[in-house]
Structures are given as structure tokens and as C-alpha cells.
Amino acid sequence: MLKAGRILCGSGMAAGLSGLLIIGPITALGQTTVIEDFEGFTVSVVLDPTTVGGSGWTRGGADPSDWDVICCNGDMWSLDRTFDGSPQFLALRRSNANPPSFSDENTDFSIPTIVQGSVSLEVNPASPGGAGFRMSLHDSGSGINAMEIVHTESGWPVINSGDFRVHSETGAVLAEGTTPNDPNGENAINRWFRILVTLHGNGTYDVHVFDIGPAKNKLGATLPLGDPARGLVLTLTGANLPVPSVDTFRLTTGSTNGGGQQPTLIDNIIARDFFGTVDVDDIKTGAEISFPTLAGGVYHPQFSDDGSTWSDLGALVLGEGTTQSVVASTTGAPANRTYRVLEF
Amino acid sequence: MKEFTIKNQKSKIKNLLVFSMLCFFGITIASGQSYVVEDFESYTVRGQTWLDPTTVPDSGWTRSGVGDADWEVRCCSGSLIYTPGSSKEDDAFDTNSVKFLVLRRSNANVPARSDEDTEFTFPVLVEGTLRFQLNPAGTSADPFKLALRDSGSGKNVMQMVYTEDRWPMVNSGDFRVQDSVGNLLISDVQLDGRPDSYDRWYDIIFTMHKGGVFDLEIIDIGFTSPTAISSNDVARGTLASVVNIPAGALGIDTFRLEPGTGGGGGEQPTMIDNLTITRIEGSTVAGTQTGTGLEMPYTTVSRSIYQPQVTEDLTTGIWTAQGPPVLGDGATKSALVPTSGADFRAYRVVVF
């Protein structure tokens, strides 16, 4: 069920440091967060959320619904559980047992009109071929889908792995991210992902997809031998937003069958028409190590507390032919800590 | 673990010190190269038993679990595995060495599969070779599963599995290798014969090239020894090789033995020996300067996403991401940001 939190009063924290400014939590009038975790629905078996007044959900057709709220974890259509352990979620009803075996209508969820803000959700995509998950952010004023985010296991570039792809409003491919199956056949589709779409307010948007971990079956056990969270699997930054704003989270048509007992699952949709910031706990000075680079060179910053034993400082850096820098924490570091950068 | 550091242009053995648990050898041969050799010979394995190498400080070995170890150093070749004196037992390929790493999880040790990551870490390999010998177990499923990783990016540059029950032929011995994004690089069938393909030793050679590409070669170097199985099927040579594969990372620093579904093979578990890393060392960059940056710690909530951002002009309302977004896990994270090169900067951490 739709939950709207409207922030009526603001607070702010700012700290200046010789021409530098740290911005802490700032809220303002009119900022809205909508959270849809599906826990507010009363579900005996399955429930079409578009039939619930005030839910924010609507759909384009009159046939049986494509997407249902299901309760409880793994006891109904799905063998899989939510990622956060909450009992209810949205599942793609269209399955091998429920013709047509693909979604045939748009299913929409109203969100605040977002010029600058974000939409995120968790998804466990279905396993069959085709595209087990299709979503977009939609502008109802112009009738345009700002982009489409798809998950499939049937192509791009590895058949039978799990691949995310972002399409522009015209269908052009903007980004791909592959979540490989393990080589012993553990499927990428038996995993949960968190999708984040960020609208910057300047006509651009980003998409990030995180692999947050393996699915759990109805008994609560992690499916056999799935890797732990793999982190970022798709990054798209600075894409051109073809609409001035979006106001609809849309599950678009064409999601292929729900995968029988393991359909596509969606949970914890969060939409904000602002950027929330967090407290920075205790600002400290660090060490900024700057070094000249050659384009294509590989560089590795290191530190030493005794001048002889060197430890790695973060990840390898690919040279761009400019002076590049990395910043290191100095918390707990002795005063005589020294730094160097190796070039390979 | 032994470390060989190679300096200057002449060859001499500088130190040859053998410690009870691990050895550090310093050899001066040529400029800019170093070796890391893990042949397991320097571990003290008492009483014809076994030793969890992750319990040895500075060994380079760690594991993710707290139960019984999956992988152990065993001594001595062929004489200590479950049934002393059994003719089925395998030996190290280099019979002069007596110790090696074995998969403890076996039919006799529940759970009959590995259940944790076991890692060997080493100085980052940007250019050079990682090589080891492998005698995979004969059980079904996946008695050997390896990832070569870059811990900085968290990426598996390559994953390798050995199995005898799939892809494409049941009960043969097959290597399957995939790249960082899941492209299948090798799906090789090692036909059974005498002995079975898993009763053989393989030399795995991974070569990392500067620029983020790698080569891989799998060589059959011969059947296990000692063995009761008579065979004239000597070393079969190169089984598979690939070259110039995009690594998805600039280097590797972790040899990870991943959980697999296969048991250790009872009297003939998976064995690993002579892990050797030859690397080109980097040279120090001239002109490196150390200035003052900022460290901004912030508390995260599990599953929330955080993005440090920076702007040099608050009036524009345009903020630029400072590094990739970070997935919260409940721990305190730090945004580390530079301060040089601008008169004014404002920083914030956005939560999604």
C-alpha cells in the first residue's frame, strides 16, 4: 500500500572548512517520499493491487491482472522469499500455468512528480527466456516512457546468464550489465537486485543496478551456493532524459512468463522528489596523493609506516595522461606514514 | 608461502632461511620481478595429520567460515589420506615434495562439499603469471572451483570449474572456464581412459598482461603417482588455451577456492600444489605529492544506497558524483574526497 511521507519542517547542518562545505541532512517543504513495500495490503491468497482504492496502482486492461500482491513469503506462487524477510511482495502472475504467458498490459504505480530525485526498487527476476522483467519511468503528461530497464537471460551477450539492459525512449541500447551464472550452473536469476534511477534535474539521469545477494527459498534458506552480494552490475550515468519529469512507475508489457513457481518478484519501491542527505559523522583531514600518469598506464598507490613494508591503498588506477589523485584515510595512522605510487 | 624478491642485474641467493611455518627467500636476479611460491613444504604438519593454513599468521591464507576448514595442508604424500597405505592414494606430482593442499570436505566429512571461500592473497599481479598444479577429485559435481579476483573492484576476472558429471559428457573430466562477465571460454572434455581423467595432474597457467587482458592454458602433465592403476597414457599436453581475454580489471590479487558442490573424493581428494606467482614489480612514480584531502564518515543502513557528491558552485544546483555509489550494509563508510585544484568545493552524501 502506498505510504506518503510529506516533510513539513526542515533542519540542516553545514560545516565550513577553509573554503570547503560539508552538507548534512537538509529537508524542505513539499518533499515527498513514497514507499511501497506491499505490507499494507490484506491478502488471503493473491490480490490485484489495482482493485484497492487509493493504492496508487492502476492497469491498462480488463483481463486478469499481470501483477499480484502475494502473501506470504514463498507460500503461494513463489518458492522464493523477499530479500528483507517481509512477507508480502509483488509477483508476475503471468506464468506457464496462466496464459497468456507474458504481461499484456501496463501496470502503473503513481509516484510524486520527480524533476530531481530518485526511484529505487528490489527485484528478483524470473528465470524463463525472453525478458522476465520490464519497467520504465513514465511521464503521463507527454505519454512518454523516459527509459526502459529490462532483465533477460536469453541474450546480450551471454545466453542463459542474467543481463540487465537500459533502453532509451526510442529503444536504443544505453547500457548493459551482465550477472554471470556461476560456471557450475547456479543461475543469476536466482538473485535479488536493487535498481536505482536518479534524475538530476538538469535533463540527465543515471541508472545503477546492484546485485544484493542470492534468493532464499520458502524455507528461508539461501539457495545452494549462491555468491554473496556482488555489488554494482550496471552503471549508466548522464543519460539524456527525454521528458521534463516522471510521475509513474510503470511495469511495461512484454515481461515474459512468470517462471511458474519462481516468478519475477518486486519489493520495496521507494520514490523521492528530492535528494536526501545523511549526517557526516566526524569530518577529518585525509591524505591526498597526486601523481602524474600516462594514458593507459596502471598505477597503484601504497603506504608504509616503517619505510620498508608497503601496503596497498585502494584499487588500481588506470592512467588518463593527467595528474590524478587518490585520497587515503589517516585515521589511526602514525605521523610518519609515507606514501608512494607504483607504475606498471 | 615463500617470497622471492628480484633486484638488480646479478644473481645470487641472498638469504635462505627456513622457518617452521613459512619461509621468505630473497633472491637477487633481475630487475623488477618477484616470485611468490606456495608449495606448502614449509608448514609444520605434525603427527601425520593436517593443518588449516588459515590458522598460520602471515601465511596469506584466509577463509570466510568458522567451522571446519575446507582446505588443508597434508603431509606426507600419499600416506595420510583416510586410509594409510591404501593403494588408491595420490601423491604430489613432484615426488620430492611431500606436502600439498587438499579438499578436506569429502564423503567422509559432512558436509560433503566445500561451504566457504578459502583465499590466498598476494601482491597485485598486473603483469606476470600465476601457475599451479591440480589433481581434481573423482567425485561427481564440482570438486574444484576457482576464482581469480581483483579485491579492489570485487570482480572475478576468471572462474574455473572441474567436474565429471556435466558439460557435455557425464563421467568424463571437464574443465569449464568463464570470463568476468560470464562468457564461456573453455569447455574442455578430458576423456576417461586409464586412469580416469581426474586421476591426473594438470598445470594451470594464467598470464596477466598489462592493460587488463589475460591468457590461460591448461596442460595435462601426467597421471597421478603413486597409483595402483597402470597406465601408458602419459602427459597429454595442452588441453585448452585462450589468449587476450578482457579481464574486467587491471590486475588480480586473490586466488579464491570457492564453495563447490562436490565432495573431496574420500581417499583421493582434490589436490593443489606449487602455486607460483611471477610478477613484474611496479616502479615508483616520480613527482608524487601528498596533500590534504577530506575523510567524511557516515553511517549506513543495510540495503540503502549512498552517493558522495561534490560541487564547486552551489548556485548551479549541479552536483557531481564522487566515486561510484555505495551499497549500505549497516557499517560506517567513509567518503574520501580531494581538496586540491579548486578555491571552493561543497560535499554531501546523498542517500537513496
Side-chain angles (χ1 to χ4, degrees):
Chain A
M1 189 78 74
L2 180 150
K3 297 175 183 174
R6 191 170 295 279
I7 299 168
L8 299 177
C9 56
S11 63
M13 185 282 285
L17 186 61
S18 62
L20 308 172
L21 188 64
I22 312 299
I23 308 295
I26 294 178
T27 56
L29 292 173
Q31 294 179 343
T32 304
T33 299
V34 169
I35 300 174
E36 174 59 282
D37 61 5
F38 304 100
E39 301 305 319
F41 292 94
T42 300
V43 183
S44 57
V45 183
V46 296
L47 175 71
D48 174 3
T50 70
T51 64
V52 179
S55 69
W57 288 95
T58 57
R59 60 187 176 93
D63 294 332
S65 58
D66 283 337
W67 294 87
D68 295 327
V69 180
I70 293 180
C71 182
C72 296
N73 262 326
D75 290 343
M76 300 298 175
W77 292 105
S78 174
L79 291 175
D80 290 345
R81 296 177 70 95
T82 56
F83 191 76
D84 62 359
S86 66
Q88 297 185 175
F89 47 81
L90 193 70
L92 181 59
R93 187 184 190 191
R94 299 294 188 195
S95 68
N96 298 330
N98 293 279
S101 60
F102 55 87
S103 62
D104 59 359
E105 62 187 13
N106 291 321
T107 302
D108 290 346
F109 179 62
S110 292
I111 58 176
T113 298
I114 301 175
V115 175
Q116 186 180 63
S118 62
V119 177
S120 68
L121 68 147
E122 293 168 353
V123 61
N124 173 3
S127 59
F133 172 74
R134 288 180 179 271
M135 66 153 278
S136 72
L137 298 184
H138 179 76
D139 172 32
S140 62
S142 63
I144 293 174
N145 289 337
M147 83 291 290
E148 189 174 40
I149 301 171
V150 180
H151 183 278
T152 184
E153 65 164 343
S154 64
W156 332 318
V158 183
I159 293 176
N160 206 29
S161 71
D163 306 316
F164 280 96
R165 180 175 265 195
V166 182
H167 294 152
S168 73
E169 78 281 8
T170 61
V173 177
L174 300 179
E176 292 178 351
T178 295
T179 53
N181 289 338
D182 281 349
N184 62 353
E186 292 153 20
N187 282 322
I189 42 81
N190 281 327
R191 306 186 64 80
W192 278 93
F193 301 90
R194 187 163 166 84
I195 298 171
L196 170 65
V197 183
T198 310
L199 279 61
H200 292 291
N202 63 351
T204 66
Y205 69 95
D206 302 341
V207 178
H208 292 94
V209 180
F210 291 83
D211 176 322
I212 58 176
K216 295 181 179 179
N217 65 21
K218 66 179 182 179
L219 300 177
T222 300
L223 292 172
L225 304 175
D227 279 350
R230 294 166 169 168
L232 268 177
V233 295
L234 181 144
T235 299
L236 171 66
T237 58
N240 181 50
L241 188 70
V243 293
S245 62
V246 298
D247 57 10
T248 305
F249 169 81
R250 168 166 286 182
L251 294 163
T252 52
T253 58
S255 292
T256 48
N257 61 35
Q261 293 181 311
Q262 291 179 296
T264 298
L265 310 180
I266 292 171
D267 203 5
N268 297 322
I269 303 168
I270 303 173
R272 291 192 176 103
D273 59 3
F274 66 102
F275 288 142
T277 54
V278 298
D279 258 331
V280 174
D281 297 334
D282 182 16
I283 303 159
K284 305 167 186 173
T285 56
E288 181 176 351
I289 300 101
S290 302
F291 50 97
T293 68
L294 299 172
V298 179
Y299 299 86
H300 205 192
Q302 296 183 317
F303 70 91
S304 176
D305 292 338
D306 61 9
S308 60
T309 303
W310 294 88
S311 301
D312 296 338
L313 188 62
L316 295 167
V317 177
L318 182 62
E320 298 173 347
T322 61
T323 296
Q324 294 173 239
S325 65
V326 297
V327 180
S329 169
T330 55
T331 301
N336 64 340
R337 174 167 289 182
T338 56
Y339 301 89
R340 71 177 183 184
V341 178
L342 296 180
E343 181 180 46
F344 292 94
Chain B
M1 179 176 70
K2 302 171 188 174
E3 292 184 356
F4 299 77
T5 301
I6 299 170
K7 302 174 182 175
N8 303 326
Q9 293 295 328
K10 52 187 178 180
S11 176
K12 66 175 183 180
I13 295 178
K14 187 177 180 182
N15 290 302
L16 188 59
L17 301 175
V18 181
F19 297 94
S20 61
M21 289 296 184
L22 65 159
C23 309
F24 294 95
F25 288 76
I27 295 182
T28 303
I29 299 176
S31 178
Q33 293 189 9
S34 69
Y35 296 141
V36 174
V37 176
E38 174 59 284
D39 61 3
F40 307 101
E41 299 302 319
S42 59
Y43 292 91
T44 300
V45 182
R46 298 182 183 280
Q48 295 189 337
T49 55
W50 52 271
L51 176 72
D52 174 3
T54 70
T55 63
V56 179
D58 300 323
S59 68
W61 288 96
T62 57
R63 60 188 177 96
S64 58
V66 293
D68 290 337
D70 283 337
W71 294 86
E72 301 163 345
V73 179
R74 285 285 172 86
C75 179
C76 298
S77 276
S79 63
L80 295 173
I81 305 172
Y82 300 116
T83 308
S86 166
S87 60
K88 294 180 180 179
E89 295 162 0
D90 290 342
D91 198 355
F93 190 76
D94 53 347
T95 51
N96 291 327
S97 73
V98 292
K99 298 173 188 171
F100 42 80
L101 194 70
V102 300
L103 181 59
R104 186 186 188 196
R105 300 292 187 197
S106 70
N107 301 330
N109 291 277
V110 177
R113 66 186 189 197
S114 59
D115 59 359
E116 63 187 13
D117 290 324
T118 304
E119 295 186 345
F120 181 72
T121 55
F122 48 86
V124 65
L125 176 65
V126 174
E127 187 174 9
T129 301
L130 181 150
R131 181 174 190 164
F132 64 98
Q133 293 170 347
L134 169 71
N135 172 9
T139 56
S140 60
D142 316 319
F144 174 74
K145 187 177 175 186
L146 168 74
L148 298 182
R149 290 175 55 80
D150 169 36
S151 64
S153 65
K155 287 185 177 179
N156 290 335
V157 166
M158 180 209 81
Q159 285 182 290
M160 173 185 291
V161 169
Y162 181 93
T163 185
E164 66 164 340
D165 72 345
R166 277 169 281 169
W167 322 319
M169 190 177 297
V170 174
N171 206 28
S172 69
D174 306 320
F175 283 97
R176 176 166 274 207
V177 179
Q178 68 182 29
D179 68 8
S180 62
V181 295
N183 290 308
L184 189 61
L185 302 177
I186 292 171
S187 185
D188 180 76
V189 176
Q190 254 288 65
L191 294 177
D192 281 341
R194 288 187 64 80
D196 287 339
S197 58
Y198 52 79
D199 278 325
R200 305 185 66 80
W201 279 95
Y202 301 92
D203 200 5
I204 314 292
I205 306 173
F206 172 92
T207 304
M208 188 80 196
H209 297 290
K210 184 177 175 182
V213 297
F214 69 86
D215 306 337
L216 180 68
E217 186 171 12
I218 301 172
I219 305 170
D220 180 321
I221 56 176
F223 55 86
T224 55
S225 173
T227 176
I229 303 171
S230 61
S231 172
N232 294 320
D233 197 356
V234 295
R236 294 167 171 171
T238 298
L239 298 179
S241 63
V242 293
V243 298
N244 291 326
I245 305 301
L250 296 170
I252 60 170
D253 58 9
T254 306
F255 177 92
R256 172 183 281 183
L257 295 164
E258 297 187 309
T261 55
E267 294 174 316
Q268 291 176 300
T270 299
M271 303 164 65
I272 293 171
D273 202 4
N274 297 324
L275 172 59
T276 305
I277 299 159
T278 307
R279 56 187 289 275
I280 304 296
E281 286 194 323
S283 56
T284 302
V285 177
T288 298
Q289 295 183 333
T290 303
T292 301
L294 277 184
E295 179 181 2
M296 303 189 302
Y298 56 96
T299 304
T300 67
V301 175
S302 180
R303 295 162 39 236
S304 288
I305 297 170
Y306 300 85
Q307 176 66 72
Q309 295 181 327
V310 62
T311 183
E312 295 182 359
D313 186 352
L314 283 171
T315 64
T316 65
I318 304 300
W319 293 78
T320 303
Q322 188 73 44
V326 176
L327 186 64
D329 58 6
T332 296
K333 306 286 185 183
S334 275
L336 295 164
V337 295
T339 59
S340 62
D343 293 332
F344 173 84
R345 281 203 186 102
Y347 303 93
R348 68 181 184 182
V349 179
V350 175
V351 58
F352 299 102

